[in-house]
Amino acid sequence: MAVTYVRVSGQEPPHPPPPGTLVVDTVRDDRVGEFRGVAGPYWSLRPTEGGAEWEADPAHVRLATPMERLRAENARCNARSEGRFL
């Protein structure tokens, strides 16, 4: 998959993490999502508890902290036990 980034203010774009990595979208109230792939200049993220993917600007995405990863995994387990996770 070829990815083309446009430099903004001379900064290098961040490198995408491996698929499945938990990251935080800082623009969307620190929403935690699973990195799914690159879609043009954006990264595709998916909620850990299931649901629709969204696109995020890589400049506003950071790796999830250990506590954020734990909360996301807990939310995934709860969603699965309630039948909301496919």
Side-chain angles (χ1 to χ4, degrees):
M1 170 187 311
V3 178
T4 304
Y5 289 104
V6 178
R7 286 187 182 197
V8 178
S9 303
Q11 296 178 1
E12 283 289 326
H15 294 286
T21 302
L22 292 179
V23 295
V24 177
D25 184 350
T26 60
V27 171
R28 296 185 189 231
D29 298 324
D30 292 335
R31 186 174 182 191
V32 177
E34 179 182 315
F35 176 77
R36 305 294 284 177
V38 177
Y42 299 104
W43 289 359
S44 293
L45 307 179
R46 182 173 184 265
T48 56
E49 64 275 4
E53 291 184 1
W54 77 94
E55 292 182 346
D57 182 344
H60 300 287
V61 175
R62 63 173 174 78
L63 293 175
T65 66
M67 182 59 75
E68 290 167 330
R69 289 194 308 268
L70 180 62
R71 287 182 183 143
E73 289 298 327
N74 190 38
R76 181 187 313 215
C77 290
N78 287 340
R80 185 175 289 134
S81 70
E82 295 170 1
R84 295 183 286 124
F85 183 79
L86 299 177

